[in-house]
Amino acid sequence: MNQPKALIGSFTQAIGTVTSAIASIPSLSDKKQFALDLWGNVLQATGNALEADAETPDTLGVYGNEIQAIGNITVVAGLLSEEGSRLEITGNWLQSLGGLISFIDDWEDKQSSVLSPIGNLLQSIGNALQAVGGVWEKQKGKEEGETIGIIGAWIQAIGSILCFLSQLEDRATFITKE
């Protein structure tokens, strides 16, 4: 594993998820929400791609990060297209799946910090809630779905911060072993 690249990727992803979570604050203007959500997902996709590239090839961690990056790109496509909410919902489901795969990889890794599997599980739950919120917005109205989406965005952000802290812990352990 390329520790510096994994750390940079994890940091970039955490910044992106927090940026996207801030975008969910209803009191912001539509223009600010759009810009924050767009850049947040771009940062998340970049961070996930860096993390996938830093992993040992052909592991669940690589596939989980790649699927999350594809999910973020799908959300970006939804933000920039007429298809909008349908692509955003699909992107959030993909991110949730990728987070779950990364959780399984970390759960099986006995050397992994406890923060990493918990963080990936929280990200997966948060993305699933955002997807459900998007579906509810279409079916039951904006208010119900929006609340679920906001909760999901912040759960995902907390999860990504835990994953970043796990990477910091791993990096510190790596340095002390050298």
Side-chain angles (χ1 to χ4, degrees), residues 111-171:
Q111 295 176 341
S112 178
S113 161
V114 70
L115 294 176
S116 192
I118 291 170
N120 278 310
L121 184 59
L122 286 174
Q123 287 186 79
S124 181
I125 291 167
N127 282 119
L129 286 171
Q130 289 177 77
V132 168
V135 170
W136 279 27
E137 275 189 47
K138 291 176 88 168
Q139 294 177 351
K140 298 182 180 189
K142 184 171 180 161
E143 193 172 305
E144 290 88 354
E146 189 174 66
T147 301
I148 293 170
I150 292 168
I151 292 167
W154 286 102
I155 289 172
Q156 181 193 7
I158 291 166
S160 71
I161 291 167
L162 290 177
C163 287
F164 171 65
L165 292 174
S166 174
Q167 283 292 334
L168 276 177
E169 187 177 271
D170 288 350
R171 181 68 181 151

Side-chain angles (χ1 to χ4, degrees), residues 3 19-20 31 44 52 56 60 64 69 72 87 98 101 107 125 128 133-134 143-144 146 149 162 164 176:
Q3 288 286 339
T19 301
S20 286
K31 190 175 181 179
Q44 288 176 65
T56 305
L60 288 177
N72 288 113
L87 285 171
I101 291 169
W107 186 259
I125 291 167
E143 193 172 305
E144 290 88 354
E146 189 174 66
L162 290 177
F164 171 65
T176 57

Side-chain angles (χ1 to χ4, degrees), residues 52 55 57-70 98 101-102:
E55 291 270 350
D58 286 332
T59 61
L60 288 177
V62 170
Y63 301 130
N65 280 304
E66 288 173 344
I67 292 169
Q68 285 180 321
I70 291 166
I101 291 169
S102 292

Side-chain angles (χ1 to χ4, degrees), residues 1-2 4-18 20 39-56 59-76 91-103 105-106 116 119-121 123-124 127 130 156-157 159-161 163-164 167:
M1 175 185 272
N2 183 330
K5 188 182 285 187
L7 183 63
I8 292 167
S10 183
F11 178 74
T12 304
Q13 183 195 17
I15 294 296
T17 57
V18 171
S20 286
W39 282 107
N41 275 282
V42 167
L43 287 168
Q44 288 176 65
T46 303
N48 280 311
L50 286 168
E51 286 184 281
D53 193 47
E55 291 270 350
T56 305
T59 61
L60 288 177
V62 170
Y63 301 130
N65 280 304
E66 288 173 344
I67 292 169
Q68 285 180 321
I70 291 166
N72 288 113
I73 292 166
T74 305
V75 169
V76 168
N92 280 312
W93 282 126
L94 287 167
Q95 288 178 69
S96 181
L97 174 63
L100 195 56
I101 291 169
S102 292
F103 162 75
D105 184 57
D106 286 341
S116 192
N120 278 310
L121 184 59
Q123 287 186 79
S124 181
N127 282 119
Q130 289 177 77
Q156 181 193 7
S160 71
I161 291 167
C163 287
F164 171 65
Q167 283 292 334

